[in-house]
Amino acid sequence: MARTSAVAADPAAPLLLFDSGVGGLSVLAKVRKLLPQAPVIYAADNAGLPYGDKTEAQIAARVSGLLGRMTERFRPRLVCIACNTASTIALASVREVLEVPIVGTVPAIKPAAAMTRTGVIGLLGTAATIRQGYVDRLEAEFAADKLLLRHGAPELVAAAEAKLRGEAVDPEVYTRAAAALRAMPGGERIDTVVLACTHFPLVQDELAQAFGPDVRFIDGSDGIARRIAALTQGQDWRRDAPDLALFTRADDSITGLSGALAAHGLARVAVF
Ligand code: DGL
């Protein structure tokens, strides 16, 4: 269980959203709708991107270390790990060490199981996410009577990053992801696709083109936003400075992201 506190001591204490890159912006967009008054720090571990091809030990060490240091420095009232890969691997260990409520990102298998009519669900995630026992447990608990087909699609992470930098992306990337799921036994009956990586809702329109009109998509962002709103209910908010985007490495790609960051209300950029 996340620790809750009815009233955060400092009304200027921010929400800290964390991802390997821009994926968590898909979560931030939903949080903004429910809590427009909340000061936000959005942290992207671009020095560690992509997480999806790293080992469990590498991801757990990076995420715990960075969140420990960021929490000490910025004193957030709540941390959201806006990344399925980091959450499915490191959520429990991060909760053990941080004295702040932590909201994680869980692949939306439960709502997908309620949505599907054919009983066949596709799941797109990173390679690291789709092999997690966490996903096995969600499948066993909520989709035991369904067929869940998983595909690791690292190309979509790069595509979402490129799209938000305003770069052209080869549409084949999306076609390949759809074709990989369709090619699995039973894949032709997929009617629901879980976007189990926070980068993927950023390219949902492109994926919808690739899958065709009979497929619906679901991701965890609405549930996360509701959970954050519930955990901070009754708290006061004060924004003392424009919201901040933090990156773990200064590189040229940050400049290309300035439009996307501004569109998500992140007017300042810093390197952590
Ligand atoms: N956005 C991350 C997720 O939700 C992962 C992207 C990556 O670093 O591979 O899984």
Side-chain angles (χ1 to χ4, degrees):
M1 281 296 290
R3 294 176 183 88
T4 62
S5 56
V7 180
D10 176 4
L15 301 174
L16 174 66
L17 274 73
F18 177 89
D19 182 35
S20 55
V22 297
L25 294 178
S26 65
V27 177
L28 176 57
K30 300 291 177 63
V31 173
R32 293 283 196 208
K33 281 194 184 151
L34 288 188
L35 299 169
Q37 71 282 32
V40 167
I41 295 179
Y42 181 85
D45 180 16
N46 60 325
L49 180 79
Y51 280 0
D53 66 5
K54 295 193 164 44
T55 65
E56 282 71 1
Q58 286 172 320
I59 293 165
R62 277 200 90 81
V63 174
S64 309
L66 279 168
L67 284 179
R69 290 196 294 122
M70 287 176 178
T71 301
E72 213 168 280
R73 169 94 164 267
F74 298 103
R75 303 273 167 211
R77 69 182 73 198
L78 178 149
V79 171
C80 170
I81 304 181
C83 172
N84 289 263
T85 312
S87 297
T88 54
I89 291 169
L91 185 58
S93 53
V94 171
R95 278 196 174 134
E96 263 168 35
V97 294
L98 293 190
E99 289 287 330
V100 62
I102 317 272
V103 175
T105 310
V106 174
I109 292 172
K110 183 181 178 184
M115 279 164 63
T116 181
R117 294 290 162 261
T118 62
V120 185
I121 301 166
L123 183 145
L124 291 172
T126 66
T129 294
I130 65 166
R131 66 172 180 255
Q132 294 311 310
Y134 200 118
V135 180
D136 299 341
R137 288 191 289 280
L138 289 172
E139 180 179 359
E141 190 170 353
F142 301 114
D145 58 342
K146 314 282 186 244
L147 177 61
L148 181 76
L149 302 174
R150 308 178 193 186
H151 176 62
E155 286 188 311
L156 295 179
V157 175
E161 292 279 336
K163 178 182 173 182
L164 266 62
R165 287 194 301 267
E167 296 167 10
V169 176
D170 181 355
E172 275 298 307
V173 167
Y174 310 111
T175 315
R176 271 197 292 272
L181 279 176
R182 291 285 193 207
M184 293 179 189
E188 70 287 349
R189 290 189 295 121
I190 290 172
D191 67 349
T192 305
V193 171
V194 180
L195 300 178
C197 169
T198 52
H199 279 76
F200 299 173
L202 301 171
V203 292
Q204 183 173 324
D205 290 346
E206 292 83 347
L207 286 168
Q209 285 281 325
F211 275 93
D214 299 332
V215 167
R216 291 194 294 166
F217 296 88
I218 177 84
D219 64 75
S221 55
D222 286 313
I224 297 167
R226 281 196 302 271
R227 182 81 183 128
I228 293 174
L231 288 173
T232 57
Q233 201 175 11
Q235 296 183 2
D236 293 329
W237 305 94
R238 196 183 69 233
R239 187 179 275 113
D240 285 346
D243 288 346
L244 175 67
L246 280 183
F247 291 85
T248 53
R249 180 171 62 202
D251 63 30
D252 293 345
S253 67
I254 299 176
T255 322
L257 288 172
S258 56
L261 297 175
H264 287 83
L266 301 166
R268 291 184 299 148
V269 175
V271 173
F272 180 79

